[in-house]
Amino acid sequence: MSSDHEVKSRDRDAEIRREQLEDAKIPFWKKRRYHVIVMIFFGLFNLINLRMNLSVTIVAMTQKVNETLSDGTTIEKQDFDWDSKTQGLILSSFFYGYIATQLLGGFLSAKFGGHLVFGIGLGVTSVLALLIPMAAKTHLGLFLAARILQGIFEGGTFPSIIAIWGEWAPIYERSFMANIAYTGNYLGIIGAMLLSGIVTVALGWEYVFYIFGALGCFCYICWIIIVKADPNTDPFITDAEKNYILSSLGDRTKDKNIKHPWKDILTSTAVWAVAIGNFTSMWGTLTLQTQLPTFLSDTLDYNLDVTGIIAAAPYMVIICLLFVSGFLADWFHVKGYLRTGQVRRYFNCFAFIMQMIFLLLITFTTSPVVIISSLCFAVGFGAFSWSGYAINALDLAPSHASVIKGVASTVGTLAGIISPIAAGNIVMDKSREQWRIVFYIAAGVYLAGAVFCWIFVRGNIQSWAKIDLDRLAAKKAESENERNTRNL
């Protein structure tokens, strides 16, 4: 039986390889799946920027500065008198809305298409960004409402990406394609950290929202023009590329009305490994994303423009390592050195353990050079987890992947709600000792996540993913028939 299974598997791989050779003849700039990658890249750049820029601008919004009046009198001026608890509430408000639509976004992506959910999220979030300055100046409640609405519409975008990969990413290119596109996520963080500080100093904090809101609106227009639901509905794709993608994934056009096995999904330890991996990564990532400018200002006493530059540096490291991570994951997989589940497990755990180590190093030193270097590596090694939990849902149940991603993102978003509030309540006096507690907690979360993922991560289609098992069986039968026909 196992021998017959191996023969069928080799036949399927051979078919994919034949189509891959035809696809390789197409210039890369004409391949529509790469156009999709580029658009997700720029979409994520704008979305994460719109989420993150408040982490920088809030320093300027609450900073006390001396202003000299025309009569020579010097007064102390502050745009908003928010204490650390209020700032923690503001920074976490986005995630109140974000968590509400993670699962809904995955469900809608599976039913109507990830490209629609992503596009709507990008467009509405960008328009709301243009209204943020007015809302903040009008009333704190209106400001919080605007941020919550941004979270609601952006919440479905990450689960929708996994649905897009389900239609566009051949199985041997998943890690590489995903990591290239997710680079936009970290360039967006760099833009938020670096450009937001520069724009704030040069023009004022309001223009951060105006500029990036306008860029997001432009990106949305490009998105609706370029990105299509799948290869079958794209009028510009070549036959060779379409045949390669469909031979790898199978024709998924009949999957829009599938029923999701909710009980099996919610009780699957493999799904929970994706969710815990997401939570672990999000806790450390969001702790640093939302608190890093404030931490640098409190402990190293850097100015806002310098703080923005330094806070952006770790994300330059992770961009470089994303390319390494994606290449290595697919290389180990294609060469047969590691099975799919091993790739996901090893890359997850390696990332979490290394991040834990470098966060702990920050707590044991007062050297600015060591602190900044450790921050760079604490963020940078997170690139390897993107080849783990971030695309693991496609391995478990391709037809239910966006829903699984929605479940995982919902759990992960809890970190975005809890971590800023926790940091706001811990760091009351802006002391180094209080910041150490924040990093101890993050390191503990990384360790717990690594242990859980080591035990429960899986890389094969699960028994409850019946539609995917049926498709796999049908594909094997088709390959077997073709082989028998050739032998005749």
Side-chain angles (χ1 to χ4, degrees):
M1 179 65 69
S2 61
S3 177
D4 185 54
H5 172 77
E6 290 174 0
V7 170
K8 292 179 179 180
S9 180
R10 284 197 298 269
D11 285 345
R12 179 171 181 265
D13 288 343
E15 179 191 359
I16 296 173
R17 296 297 186 189
R18 286 194 298 272
E19 299 293 353
Q20 188 178 31
L21 290 174
E22 293 300 315
D23 173 78
K25 298 175 183 177
I26 306 170
F28 75 90
W29 63 85
K30 291 185 178 181
K31 295 181 180 181
R32 292 294 287 170
R33 66 184 184 275
Y34 294 165
H35 298 171
V36 173
I37 291 175
V38 170
M39 288 310 305
I40 294 177
F41 173 95
F42 283 111
L44 288 175
F45 174 88
N46 283 282
L47 285 168
I48 198 66
N49 211 312
L50 296 172
R51 182 200 307 180
M52 282 295 306
N53 50 31
L54 183 60
S55 299
V56 177
T57 58
I58 199 169
V59 178
M61 294 166 77
T62 58
Q63 192 173 45
K64 294 180 180 180
V65 295
N66 292 326
E67 181 177 328
T68 302
L69 302 179
S70 57
D71 61 1
T73 305
T74 300
I75 63 171
E76 193 173 62
K77 181 183 176 183
Q78 184 180 25
D79 286 348
F80 301 97
D81 184 18
W82 296 327
D83 59 22
S84 63
K85 290 184 178 180
T86 303
Q87 291 181 48
L89 175 63
I90 292 169
L91 290 172
S92 65
S93 62
F94 176 93
F95 297 98
Y96 294 136
Y98 195 75
I99 194 173
T101 51
Q102 294 290 307
L103 189 54
L104 178 62
F107 175 78
L108 293 177
S109 296
K111 189 171 182 63
F112 300 109
H115 69 300
L116 290 177
V117 175
F118 189 92
I120 292 171
L122 173 61
V124 177
T125 304
S126 300
V127 171
L128 287 168
L130 299 174
L131 305 176
I132 287 289
M134 180 189 68
K137 293 176 180 179
T138 302
H139 193 274
L140 177 59
L142 189 60
F143 180 30
L144 292 173
R147 287 292 291 175
I148 291 171
L149 280 173
Q150 280 190 305
I152 287 174
F153 282 95
E154 192 172 323
T157 55
F158 262 90
S160 72
I161 293 174
I162 205 77
I164 295 172
W165 293 143
E167 303 290 353
W168 282 98
I171 57 174
Y172 293 125
E173 297 181 20
R174 284 176 181 170
S175 295
F176 184 71
M177 286 178 63
N179 283 13
I180 293 296
Y182 288 138
T183 301
N185 184 67
Y186 293 105
L187 275 178
I189 297 173
I190 291 174
M193 296 292 189
L194 177 59
L195 299 179
S196 295
I198 295 173
V199 171
T200 298
V201 171
L203 302 174
W205 63 266
E206 298 95 336
Y207 284 89
V208 174
F209 298 99
Y210 295 147
I211 292 172
F212 291 113
L215 285 175
C217 290
F218 175 75
C219 186
Y220 168 68
I221 294 172
C222 295
W223 177 273
I224 60 178
I225 293 172
I226 295 173
V227 179
K228 308 303 177 185
D230 54 55
N232 279 317
T233 58
D234 192 323
F236 304 108
I237 194 171
T238 63
D239 289 338
E241 183 183 10
K242 180 166 70 173
N243 291 337
Y244 169 50
I245 294 173
L246 295 181
S247 68
S248 176
L249 303 178
D251 190 342
R252 296 170 50 81
T253 56
K254 298 179 181 179
D255 290 358
K256 301 303 180 184
N257 295 315
I258 62 173
K259 294 182 179 180
H260 302 293
W262 292 103
K263 180 180 178 181
D264 292 317
I265 289 173
L266 295 175
T267 57
S268 169
T269 54
V271 169
W272 277 101
V274 178
I276 296 301
N278 201 326
F279 180 89
T280 302
S281 179
M282 291 286 279
W283 184 283
T285 298
L286 291 171
T287 295
L288 292 174
Q289 284 180 10
T290 59
Q291 303 298 327
L292 191 51
T294 305
F295 166 73
L296 293 172
S297 178
D298 289 349
T299 60
L300 301 181
D301 198 27
Y302 288 148
N303 294 327
L304 184 59
D305 50 352
V306 176
T307 295
I309 295 171
I310 295 175
Y315 300 98
M316 297 178 186
V317 176
I318 198 172
I319 286 173
C320 297
L321 290 180
L322 273 170
F323 291 96
V324 176
S325 168
F327 172 79
L328 289 177
D330 285 335
W331 185 77
F332 281 127
H333 194 194
V334 171
K335 292 293 185 180
Y337 298 140
L338 295 175
R339 296 188 300 275
T340 303
Q342 291 175 320
V343 170
R344 308 301 178 225
R345 178 181 296 110
Y346 296 165
F347 276 60
N348 266 351
C349 296
F350 174 73
F352 296 159
I353 294 300
M354 295 304 295
Q355 289 177 289
M356 178 194 72
I357 290 172
F358 283 105
L359 279 183
L360 291 176
L361 281 177
I362 296 171
T363 68
F364 294 133
T365 183
T366 57
S367 167
V369 173
V370 177
I371 289 174
I372 294 169
S373 299
S374 297
L375 283 171
C376 287
F377 287 112
V379 174
F381 277 102
F384 289 87
S385 65
W386 284 102
S387 295
Y389 79 87
I391 55 174
N392 194 198
L394 282 172
D395 308 317
L396 305 178
S399 297
H400 311 295
S402 62
V403 171
I404 295 172
K405 185 64 175 176
V407 172
S409 295
T410 299
V411 175
T413 305
L414 289 172
I417 294 174
I418 299 170
S419 62
I421 294 177
N425 282 274
I426 293 170
V427 186
M428 300 292 289
D429 301 323
K430 300 183 179 182
S431 66
R432 188 178 298 275
E433 290 71 23
Q434 291 172 342
W435 278 109
R436 284 195 181 108
I437 297 173
V438 173
F439 290 126
Y440 285 147
I441 293 172
V445 172
Y446 276 129
L447 178 60
V451 172
F452 192 94
C453 288
W454 183 265
I455 298 172
F456 294 112
V457 162
R458 298 292 182 269
N460 57 303
I461 293 178
Q462 298 299 286
S463 59
W464 42 264
K466 296 182 176 59
I467 185 171
D468 297 302
L469 291 172
D470 290 344
R471 180 188 293 110
L472 187 61
K475 196 68 181 177
K476 290 177 179 178
E478 181 182 342
S479 298
E480 178 69 13
N481 290 335
E482 289 181 1
R483 187 170 69 88
N484 291 336
T485 301
R486 289 196 301 271
N487 290 338
L488 291 176

